[in-house]
Amino acid sequence: MKVMVRAVLLVLLSTPFLAAMEPISMGIAVGVATALTGLFTTFPKLYCEFQECCEDEWVKLNLTGLKMDLDNKLFGQHIAKQVVLKAVNGFFTNPNPKKPLALSLHGWTGTGKNLISKILAENIYTNGLQSAYVHQFISTLHFPHPEYLSHYKEQLQKWIRGNVSACAKSMFIFDEMDKIHPGLIDAIKPYLEYYDNIDGVVYRKAIFIFLR
């Protein structure tokens, strides 16, 4: 059903299809598409049946899957498995956490830091790392120039604030934390503390993963 409705919308709105239609038919097609859009807007739950949104259908911890993936895919990291599983389960079973979930994963290349973050994303978000609510940053790629520190800080804070406003359960993954400018760490710190809200935005259900 989901695939069928998406296909109908794509066909109705595709340029070649519209170009081949007569004006009256095109008007009907656009009208149908508009009506569907209005319907989804009026009934958010219906919209979430066909499009990713920040609801349990798309954002929910699969504890069984998480445990299975950690056991089957992550080798030689028994302590890390236990700590991650306990922290994540405790966070998601608390309906009103006092602060965001912050995980700091350390180790040499190949120890499984990125794999853990991938497994977490796949067992929390239906779309995994491709979810609109999962945001990845690589220090040397996204913040390469120290002279632009002020700009980076401003943009990063806006990005975090805007995305948490859109979905309280957003995930932010920061890779190469050993190479990030200390000033950017300071820019992130307020969102990790015990605040009810910052400028009206609640960050207590967000997830921050730091890879070093």
Side-chain angles (χ1 to χ4, degrees):
M1 179 61 177
K2 292 182 182 179
V3 174
M4 184 181 297
V5 173
R6 285 175 178 165
V8 169
L9 287 172
L10 287 174
V11 170
L12 288 175
L13 297 176
S14 64
T15 303
F17 181 78
L18 291 176
M21 295 175 65
E22 302 213 357
I24 294 178
S25 300
M26 184 170 66
I28 294 174
V30 173
V32 170
T34 302
L36 286 172
T37 302
L39 183 64
F40 290 155
T41 303
T42 305
F43 300 98
K45 288 291 184 183
L46 180 60
Y47 174 83
C48 292
E49 286 293 318
F50 307 103
Q51 182 67 37
E52 183 183 26
C53 59
C54 193
E55 299 291 341
D56 284 351
E57 292 91 339
W58 297 89
V59 184
K60 185 178 182 180
L61 175 63
N62 177 3
L63 184 61
T64 302
L66 175 59
K67 186 178 185 305
M68 186 178 300
D69 283 348
L70 288 173
D71 286 340
N72 295 336
K73 298 178 181 180
L74 187 66
F75 303 103
Q77 299 290 345
H78 303 294
I79 296 177
K81 289 180 187 178
Q82 295 172 6
V83 171
V84 168
L85 199 62
K86 182 178 179 180
V88 173
N89 186 40
F91 180 74
F92 274 90
T93 53
N94 184 353
N96 188 31
K98 296 183 180 296
K99 60 181 296 187
L101 174 62
L103 297 174
S104 182
L105 306 176
H106 297 227
W108 300 105
T109 301
T111 54
K113 304 186 301 293
N114 285 286
L115 178 59
I116 291 176
S117 63
K118 180 176 182 290
I119 289 173
L120 285 171
E122 291 175 345
N123 285 284
I124 296 173
Y125 305 89
T126 300
N127 290 340
L129 289 174
Q130 303 306 313
S131 171
Y133 308 123
V134 176
H135 313 278
Q136 301 180 76
F137 301 91
I138 301 173
S139 298
T140 53
L141 176 64
H142 295 101
F143 317 113
H145 306 294
E147 62 269 27
Y148 297 142
L149 176 61
S150 295
H151 175 73
Y152 291 153
K153 289 173 65 174
E154 180 182 357
Q155 292 302 310
L156 180 58
Q157 289 182 328
K158 282 184 178 178
W159 185 261
I160 294 174
R161 181 168 58 250
N163 282 285
V164 173
S165 296
C167 180
K169 301 173 185 176
S170 292
M171 174 183 285
F172 302 90
I173 303 172
F174 293 87
D175 200 355
E176 298 182 347
M177 281 298 292
D178 53 315
K179 300 174 184 175
I180 198 169
H181 193 287
L184 282 173
I185 297 177
D186 292 338
I188 300 170
K189 279 182 179 178
Y191 306 116
L192 308 178
E193 300 297 340
Y194 291 91
Y195 294 119
D196 285 337
N197 69 81
I198 300 176
D199 295 330
V201 180
V202 177
Y203 296 88
R204 290 180 283 114
K205 293 186 178 182
I207 302 168
F208 293 82
I209 301 176
F210 303 100
L211 310 179
R212 184 186 178 96

